[in-house]
Amino acid sequence: MLSGGVDSSVVVYELARQGLRPDCFYIKIGPEEQEEWDCASEEDLEMATAVARRYGCSLQVVDCHREYWEQVTKYTMDKVKAGFTPNPDVMCNRLIKFGAFDAKMGHSYDLIATGHYAQTETDGGVKWLCTSPDPVKDQTDFLAQIYDWQLEKALFPIGHMMKDEVRRIAEREHLVNSKRKDSQGICFLGKVNYNEYIRRYLGEQPGDVVELATGKRIGEHRGLWFHTIGQRKGMGFGGGPWFVVKKDIGRNILYVAHGYDPAAAYQQSFKVHGFHSINGMPLPADVTFKIRHTPGYLPGKIEPTGSDEAFTVYAEKPIHGVAPGQFCVVYDNRHHRCYGSGEITL
């Protein structure tokens, strides 16, 4: 999969250096309204074309636009409307990059190489998703919902490298995109503001903003979906700072706590449901985990709640901004092997 970015371009270089000539594919997800949703897709394709041509590889565009908007975008809007905190990048990997692409083209291949910062290892016939040595760029949390058959075919040629090393290779080899910045934000939004996008699809639904500790009404929100648990900036209420600490979906109330670091913004235990195990291996009691894309891993314990797909996580220390809908990604206590992820519920 060749996106036109530095990482996947260095993947092509690495494979070519080994004497291989991979077939390259550019996945087109594209926005609905090209004139407003400027995703720089034309530039991406130009870069991908130049890299493929340099190494004598074929390049084919695979159109996954409809699948992306019907599956990933729908998932995102459904979760936001229900008051949850979704992660569209996680579902894009599962449903599009390793899903719709495989159905259209990938099924004809034994291995599919990507520019993800992740590694794999096989132990006793079981293939594991493993972390990259670069803690900032590691992307196993975004891959923790893929299926075992998808992992079996996955190849991560730069997963053992640091980002700086990848960038140096691109510059040394004079790749056309060696100076290009990494993409940021949610890919289907392009340059459109996230809240504006939500307003366009979900509209507004005003309701009360209430201080959790006192029950005092401090203002009005325009819709619960414009706010996330742990949010502090962009609140627009006087007498702050305020933290979002809770949502009451049924009564359409946004609860906030006052102060720069209120205790109500922290939580030491939470439930996880619908846990997706990548390779079916049982979870240990002592784990490390992430609830958002950060360099650090949080130590904790897992206690089953009567179902293989549900459990309670007990963190060693209180955690800021635990929100329903976030993915809790579970690793071994060396934060090396990734078991999978499940959705947080409070």
Side-chain angles (χ1 to χ4, degrees), residues 6-169:
V6 174
D7 298 329
S8 60
S9 297
V10 172
V11 165
V12 177
Y13 160 77
E14 285 292 318
L15 295 175
R17 186 176 62 83
Q18 297 172 39
L20 302 172
R21 188 177 293 178
D23 294 336
C24 298
F25 295 93
Y26 175 86
I27 299 178
K28 180 183 177 182
I29 55 175
E32 287 182 316
E33 297 92 353
Q34 290 285 352
E35 69 278 3
E36 293 186 51
W37 266 257
D38 180 7
C39 288
S41 55
E42 288 186 9
E43 184 181 337
D44 290 340
L45 186 53
E46 287 176 4
M47 296 285 185
T49 302
V51 171
R53 184 181 296 123
R54 173 170 176 178
Y55 294 103
C57 302
S58 64
L59 178 68
Q60 185 172 337
V61 177
V62 180
D63 191 343
C64 293
H65 167 93
R66 180 178 57 82
E67 290 84 357
Y68 190 96
W69 287 82
E70 288 181 356
Q71 297 178 46
V72 179
T73 311
K74 183 180 185 302
Y75 149 82
T76 304
M77 291 301 106
D78 286 349
K79 290 294 183 183
V80 168
K81 189 174 183 179
F84 299 133
T85 302
N87 192 322
D89 292 329
V90 170
M91 300 313 290
C92 180
N93 280 320
R94 175 176 177 167
L95 299 173
I96 306 302
K97 292 178 182 175
F98 292 94
F101 170 76
D102 191 85
K104 293 191 174 192
M105 293 300 304
H107 62 273
S108 300
Y109 295 82
D110 297 315
L111 292 172
I112 299 174
T114 76
H116 285 101
Y117 285 83
Q119 301 185 90
T120 62
E121 64 183 28
T122 301
D123 182 6
V126 177
K127 190 173 184 180
W128 288 89
L129 175 67
C130 300
T131 54
S132 163
D134 190 326
V136 175
K137 294 300 295 182
D138 177 74
Q139 293 172 303
T140 51
D141 52 331
F142 293 133
L143 293 165
Q145 279 281 312
I146 64 173
Y147 296 106
D148 55 351
W149 64 267
Q150 294 173 325
L151 181 62
E152 285 295 330
K153 297 178 69 169
L155 187 65
F156 307 121
I158 64 167
H160 62 288
M161 299 181 186
M162 302 292 286
K163 177 68 183 193
D164 289 347
E165 182 181 357
V166 172
R167 185 73 71 177
R168 285 197 300 271
I169 291 173

Side-chain angles (χ1 to χ4, degrees), residues 226-247:
F226 295 117
H227 301 281
T228 57
I229 304 297
Q231 176 185 347
R232 187 182 74 187
K233 296 181 179 179
M235 297 293 290
F237 308 121
W242 300 99
F243 273 91
V244 175
V245 293
K246 183 181 176 183
K247 298 179 183 180

Side-chain angles (χ1 to χ4, degrees), residues 144-145 272-276 311 326-330 340-344:
Q145 279 281 312
V272 173
H273 77 279
F275 184 78
H276 169 75
F311 50 82
Q326 288 174 319
F327 284 109
C328 174
V329 187
V330 179
S341 65
E343 197 171 285
I344 295 174

Side-chain angles (χ1 to χ4, degrees), residues 123 126-128 275-287 302 304 307-309 311 330-333 337-340:
D123 182 6
V126 177
K127 190 173 184 180
W128 288 89
F275 184 78
H276 169 75
S277 173
I278 298 174
N279 56 19
M281 298 302 288
L283 292 173
D286 294 308
V287 298
I302 285 178
S307 167
D308 291 340
E309 296 180 352
F311 50 82
V330 179
Y331 301 83
D332 62 17
N333 56 16
R337 290 178 171 179
C338 178
Y339 283 85

